[in-house]
Amino acid sequence: MGIEKSVSELHELLVDKDISSIELTKAYIKRIQTVDPELKAYLTVLEDQALAQAAEVDRKIAHGEVLGALEGIPMALKDNMCTEGVRTSCASKMLENFMPPYNATVTDRLRAAGTILLGKVNMDEFAMGSSTENSYFAKTRNPWDLGCVPGGSSGGSAVAVAADEAAFALGSDTGGSIRQPAAFCGVVGMKPTYGVVSRYGLIAFASSLDQIGPLTKTVRDNALVMNAISGYDALDSTSVSYEKPDYTKFLVNDIKGLRIGIPREYFGEGIDPDVARGIQAGIQTLIDLGAEVAECSLPHTEYAIPAYYLIATAEASSNLARYDGVRYGFRTEAEDVLGMFKKTRAAGFGQEVKRRIMLGTYALSSGYYDAYYLKAQKVRTLIKQDFDKAFERFDVLLSPTAPTAAFKFGEKSANPLAMYLSDITTVPINLAGIPAISIPAGFVKGLPIGMQLMGKALDEGTLYRAAYTFEQNTNYHTLKPNLSKEVLACGSR
Ligand code: GLN
């Protein structure tokens, strides 16, 4: 009942009193109970709290109050965004029982907008990964093929939206973790400009790269959620003070004259030819709609993966030093305090998190700092300059969001390097701090693929315009995975 609809459609239903927020919330909870035992998107479901929040909105409707765009809309938060009194685990044993005493800014803003928090969703531990296989708790499954990963690290967020277990969700993106799962699950995912959405209360992975953004069914919904969560926040020292637009103003079905650059490095080695073909077809659609398309080059792209995996791990090694058994969460007892630190960290973190702490500590250690960390920072600048140069000629750049469609469980998890290499099309964007959106752009062997549009800093608006035009002239976003009883039953075998 309504759960498959977009946020903007649900808003109409609420305003017209065709459905109440309580009915809608109950419908989502029923959906979670039906599909989530197999899909495992949720780590925590907040049934009572959600129904109480919905009742509040219904009272407002009954009193004839004007309803905000997101009021009464049920949604989910990635489990690295702090929720006061509600467990925020980062999908780690280390924070298995962590109850934050405060809300993240995004949590507060979505509450102020009147949304209903259905629960907290799964992710790779501390947002480290590209498949959600690194969660301590569960493996979230791709609704389009239960044998495939949903992408990561915001796999739970993407699945919740794709499988109609939430009207929208927030994810975080350090090197692709909103866009890549959005692509793998056939939904829209925006990684905003660094500093546009507050990171206050987002459990830090790599502070200079992390950014929160919306995963939604449509481009319009994405702009609506951005309106609610973006904007300056004094609690985040890297928050950008800028004139915040109404992002829905950019939702016009017109890209005549829009200059789109196609970076050739993003179609090279490692890109599945079927994915490349699918994106080429998308480019043709944009040309037919009046865009001016030309090839370009981002020559330092091949250095993005090593630079990213040095900078991200260096920052992570510092950010994760606080989990020592004293300040937060899990503790293992030992003879002395040093032993306690060691045992706690050995048992509390999963393999991938430990690998990154070691890599990052090494890159920052004296004698290696200049060769690795400092070098990586210089490469970061070169990558940023590649983009600056390209944006002198183009309004938007376009690529596949990921080199392949969703892969099978276990296909890459035994080989960290193969997993890291799959991030080649997303990490440069975080290094440069610019915005990028992934939109549904077709299917390869029954699995969705995403088209990535990259923009100038603070120019989310142009991305929304291009994405909206593409969406209005294609039907990929209207197709749904088959989650019939039969499909769910065979998934459990
Ligand atoms: N896959 C990348 C990594 O493992 C990106 C993760 C993210 O964006 N949180 O670091």
Side-chain angles (χ1 to χ4, degrees), residues 78 127-130 152-153 172-177 205 308-309 356 423:
K78 186 174 180 179
M128 297 175 185
S130 315
S153 63
S172 66
D173 190 312
T174 304
S177 283
F205 160 16
Y308 169 83
Y309 276 95
R356 294 196 188 202
D423 295 334

Side-chain angles (χ1 to χ4, degrees), residues 19 111 118 123 152 172 226 273 285 339 345 394 429 471 475:
I19 192 167
R111 187 80 270 273
L118 289 168
M123 53 185 282
S172 66
M226 267 297 277
T285 303
R345 288 169 68 80
F394 299 104
I429 286 81
E471 179 190 63
N475 71 347

Side-chain angles (χ1 to χ4, degrees), residues 51-131:
L51 289 172
Q53 290 174 348
E56 252 174 67
V57 176
D58 284 339
R59 271 194 294 277
K60 283 183 94 171
I61 299 174
H63 287 138
E65 287 180 39
V66 180
L67 219 54
L70 299 183
E71 246 170 318
I73 304 290
M75 57 87 189
L77 294 177
K78 186 174 180 179
D79 212 18
N80 59 352
M81 295 168 201
C82 285
T83 41
E84 186 180 345
V86 172
R87 183 178 79 148
T88 301
S89 71
C90 251
S92 179
K93 179 175 173 150
M94 193 59 97
L95 293 176
E96 189 170 5
N97 300 308
F98 175 54
M99 299 285 177
Y102 69 105
N103 278 333
T105 294
V106 289
T107 310
D108 273 340
R109 288 191 179 176
L110 286 179
R111 187 80 270 273
T115 63
I116 314 299
L117 179 59
L118 289 168
K120 306 292 293 289
V121 286
N122 201 17
M123 53 185 282
D124 284 299
E125 184 179 7
F126 284 98
M128 297 175 185
S130 315
S131 67

